[in-house]
């Protein structure tokens, strides 16, 4: 599938390498550091990329427009992408599009739209929103439908190993086939069963061997799309889509599996277990990173609840996407928070101040700002702290109290662009 156009990244080479990035891993509940690129300690052969930091971020299910919750999550992983690059990593980034799944088919049926058209339309809108927000595009943007052969291959592999069974033609995965099942979320069985039921699972389906076993391949239902395969005519389950795409496009033991915190369980738990059960000794991701949930009017912003603030709507209303991005960055990516109109007006004021400051021929000293911004981002993507440092610089510069450094604005403009993704 086609991704979107990445923004240009200004070079910060003259500022030296940024610190190694530490990021919170939900599985270990500790900080994960991607090893310092070998290219910095000894070099690697030209053309090879043994040092690439590899990241898979779960993409949208394209049945409605991008809301600020989605945007916050993708901007969070964009910060990681940028922080890794600043630290000297090459980044290999893969994202999927769940372009066939129950919510998409239900919405298409409810609105009398062709499901393929709906998915294409909303994916295109997502691309436009990501471009406007200056999110670096993934190297591979991969649809579920185009990945069906990969899914079939992985299910086949699981079946060879005896971890797949049939319930009325649907194929299920025995989740406990992976001895590490449960280690991504750390939840006990009671909590898992509760969440499984709430988040698209079917703990109560009769005929299953264990309530938590999850669907790998769903046999054709009347009126729904289906594909012929050695598994019978049907369509892929959700979790195995991401296992298959990530393994194929990134390989095992990639650095970060990312998404919003609503994906910790069951999605990331199941995806990891499916991949790990398929191959002896395989580690799926080395770290599982989750963004907090953005709420609106008292509830998690969600397509199914309809309490949405859409990026595209704000853009249509003439809001500067850079103000939207700055408003998102004012909240730490791991916190749950609620969007209010005040977030946007505050960000607009800051953005205007920053723009005024960077156009001055000289400004406050930059070395400490560069250090503070990079240190904050390397410390579990602390964007509120990073933006605060830029804010302090802009205040000092605009007040004229300290204009000791000629060309300071140009340094800050590049820093803010490359590390925070905000074009001034
Ligand atoms: N297609 C699957 C992942 S494979 C999916 O969850 N799609 S989604 O469209 O529902 O969500 C896309 C991404 O946005 C996911 O990472 C999800 O965790 C995140 N997300 C959804 N709602 C919110 C929210 N209110 N706040 C923050 N992130 C959110
Ligand atoms: Zn996913």
């Amino acid at each position: 599938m086609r991704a979107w156009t990445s923004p240009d990244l200004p070079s910060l080479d003259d500022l030296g390498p940024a610190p190694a990035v530490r990021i919170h891993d939900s599985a270990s509940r500790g900080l994960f550091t991607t090893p310092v690129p070998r290219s910095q300690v000894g070099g690697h052969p030209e053309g090879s990329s043994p040092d690439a930091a590899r990241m898979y971020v779960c993409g949208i299910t394209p049945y409605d427009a991008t809301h600020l919750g989605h945007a916050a999550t993708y901007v969070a992983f964009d910060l990681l992408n940028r922080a890794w690059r600043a630290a000297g990593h090459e980044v290999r980034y893969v994202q999927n599009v769940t372009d066939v799944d129950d919510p998409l088919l239900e919405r298409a049926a409810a609105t009398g739209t062709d499901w393929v058209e709906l998915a294409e339309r909303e994916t295109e809108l997502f691309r436009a929103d990501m471009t406007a927000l200056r999110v670096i595009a993934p190297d591979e943007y991969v649809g579920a439908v185009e990945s069906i052969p990969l899914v079939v291959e992985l299910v086949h592999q699981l079946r060879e190993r005896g971890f797949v069974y049939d319930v009325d033609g649907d194929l299920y995965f025995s989740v406990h086939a992976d001895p590490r099942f449960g280690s991504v979320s750390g939840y006990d069985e009671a909590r898992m069963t509760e969440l499984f039921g709430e988040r698209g699972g079917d703990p109560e389906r009769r005929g299953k061997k264990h309530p938590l076993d999850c669907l790998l391949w769903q046999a054709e239902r009347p009126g729904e799309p289906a594909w012929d395969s050695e598994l019978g005519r049907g369509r892929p389950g959700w979790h195995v889509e991401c296992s298959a795409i990530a393994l194929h496009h990134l390989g095992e033991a990639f650095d970060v599996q990312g998404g919003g915190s609503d994906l910790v369980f069951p999605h990331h738990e199941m995806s990891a277990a499916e991949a790990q059960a398929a191959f002896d000794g395989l580690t799926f991701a080395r770290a599982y990173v989750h963004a907090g949930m953005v709420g609106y009017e008292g509830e998690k912003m969600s397509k199914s609840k309809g309490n949405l603030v859409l990026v595209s709507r704000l853009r249509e209303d003439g809001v500067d996407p850079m103000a939207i991005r700055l408003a998102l960055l004012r909240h730490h990516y791991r916190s749950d928070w609620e969007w209010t109109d005040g977030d946007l007006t505050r960000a607009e004021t800051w953005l205007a101040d920053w723009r005024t400051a960077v156009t001055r021929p000289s400004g406050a000293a930059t070395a400490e700002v560069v250090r503070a911004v990079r240190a904050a981002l390397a410390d579990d993507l602390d964007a509120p702290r990073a933006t605060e440092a830029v804010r302090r610089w802009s205040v000092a510069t605009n007040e004229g109290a300290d204009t000791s450094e000629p060309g300071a604005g140009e340094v800050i403009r590049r820093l803010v662009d490359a590390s925070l993704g905000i074009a001034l």
Side-chain angles (χ1 to χ4, degrees), residues 7 36 44 53 73-74 78 101 104 116 162 166 203 214 242 264 279 293 307 322 337 339 342 346 401 414 416 419:
V36 173
H44 64 81
T73 291
Y74 296 109
D78 188 55
D101 200 9
L104 173 71
V116 175
D166 186 304
C214 68
C242 287
V264 174
F279 302 97
M293 287 293 111
N307 59 335
M322 294 297 92
W337 56 280
W339 174 267
R346 276 190 297 277
R414 277 193 290 133
V416 167
S419 57

Side-chain angles (χ1 to χ4, degrees), residues 50-179:
D51 309 324
R54 291 170 295 157
M55 167 163 80
Y56 183 90
V57 178
C58 283
I60 55 163
T61 305
Y63 69 91
D64 209 336
T66 323
H67 59 63
L68 287 171
H70 303 130
T73 291
Y74 296 109
V75 164
F77 290 97
D78 188 55
L79 287 183
L80 177 58
N81 192 338
R82 289 164 184 270
W84 270 341
R85 286 164 189 253
H89 290 285
E90 188 183 315
V91 178
R92 184 156 166 78
Y93 179 19
V94 177
Q95 186 179 131
N96 69 306
V97 187
T98 308
D99 57 0
V100 61
D101 200 9
D102 298 340
L104 173 71
L105 299 176
E106 283 160 18
R107 176 66 64 91
T111 55
T113 322
D114 176 65
W115 66 276
V116 175
E117 264 172 43
L118 176 62
E120 279 175 2
R121 188 175 73 221
E122 299 304 344
T123 305
E124 190 52 29
L125 187 58
F126 178 73
R127 291 187 185 101
D129 288 336
M130 292 297 107
T131 306
L133 292 170
R134 294 180 74 83
V135 172
I136 298 172
D139 302 293
E140 308 278 353
Y141 193 44
V142 191
V145 171
E146 66 185 349
S147 305
I148 286 174
L150 299 177
V151 169
V152 170
E153 198 181 306
L154 186 59
V155 176
H156 172 85
Q157 171 71 12
L158 285 166
R159 190 150 71 170
E160 292 279 292
R161 310 195 91 198
F163 302 146
V164 178
Y165 62 91
D166 186 304
V167 180
D168 303 329
D170 296 336
L171 300 183
Y172 277 82
F173 170 58
S174 294
V175 291
H176 294 92
D178 175 22

Side-chain angles (χ1 to χ4, degrees), residues 69-323:
H70 303 130
T73 291
Y74 296 109
V75 164
F77 290 97
D78 188 55
L79 287 183
L80 177 58
N81 192 338
R82 289 164 184 270
W84 270 341
R85 286 164 189 253
H89 290 285
E90 188 183 315
V91 178
R92 184 156 166 78
Y93 179 19
V94 177
Q95 186 179 131
N96 69 306
V97 187
T98 308
D99 57 0
V100 61
D101 200 9
D102 298 340
L104 173 71
L105 299 176
E106 283 160 18
R107 176 66 64 91
T111 55
T113 322
D114 176 65
W115 66 276
V116 175
E117 264 172 43
L118 176 62
E120 279 175 2
R121 188 175 73 221
E122 299 304 344
T123 305
E124 190 52 29
L125 187 58
F126 178 73
R127 291 187 185 101
D129 288 336
M130 292 297 107
T131 306
L133 292 170
R134 294 180 74 83
V135 172
I136 298 172
D139 302 293
E140 308 278 353
Y141 193 44
V142 191
V145 171
E146 66 185 349
S147 305
I148 286 174
L150 299 177
V151 169
V152 170
E153 198 181 306
L154 186 59
V155 176
H156 172 85
Q157 171 71 12
L158 285 166
R159 190 150 71 170
E160 292 279 292
R161 310 195 91 198
F163 302 146
V164 178
Y165 62 91
D166 186 304
V167 180
D168 303 329
D170 296 336
L171 300 183
Y172 277 82
F173 170 58
S174 294
V175 291
H176 294 92
D178 175 22
R180 287 165 286 179
F181 178 74
S183 63
V184 172
S185 63
Y187 299 152
D188 61 22
E189 293 247 339
R191 176 95 181 110
M192 287 199 235
T193 310
E194 183 191 327
L195 283 174
F196 193 46
E198 286 169 17
R199 296 178 177 170
D202 53 2
E204 283 165 6
R205 180 164 181 185
R206 293 162 75 103
K208 281 170 59 172
K209 293 183 182 167
H210 190 284
L212 291 174
D213 289 348
C214 68
L215 187 68
L216 291 167
W217 185 260
Q218 178 170 293
E220 182 172 18
R221 304 284 195 267
E224 289 192 357
W227 289 265
D228 285 318
S229 81
E230 62 168 273
L231 309 171
R233 205 172 147 71
R235 63 178 164 100
W238 171 31
H239 314 304
V240 72
E241 163 195 345
C242 287
S243 327
I245 295 174
L247 277 189
H248 181 80
H249 292 279
L250 288 175
E252 64 177 298
F254 56 92
D255 295 271
V256 163
Q257 157 71 306
S261 60
D262 56 340
L263 299 186
V264 174
F265 193 90
H267 186 51
H268 288 172
E269 193 79 72
M270 299 296 187
S271 301
E274 287 163 351
Q276 290 174 168
F279 302 97
D280 270 334
L282 180 142
T283 293
F284 188 55
R286 297 160 74 194
Y288 295 84
V289 177
H290 296 106
M293 287 293 111
V294 180
Y296 187 55
E297 296 176 335
E299 283 197 275
K300 169 190 157 184
M301 205 179 279
S302 79
K303 291 181 277 205
S304 50
K305 291 198 187 96
N307 59 335
L308 308 177
V309 181
L310 304 179
V311 175
S312 46
R313 175 63 58 77
L314 292 174
R315 293 200 288 122
E316 272 168 31
D317 291 347
V319 174
D320 184 338
M322 294 297 92

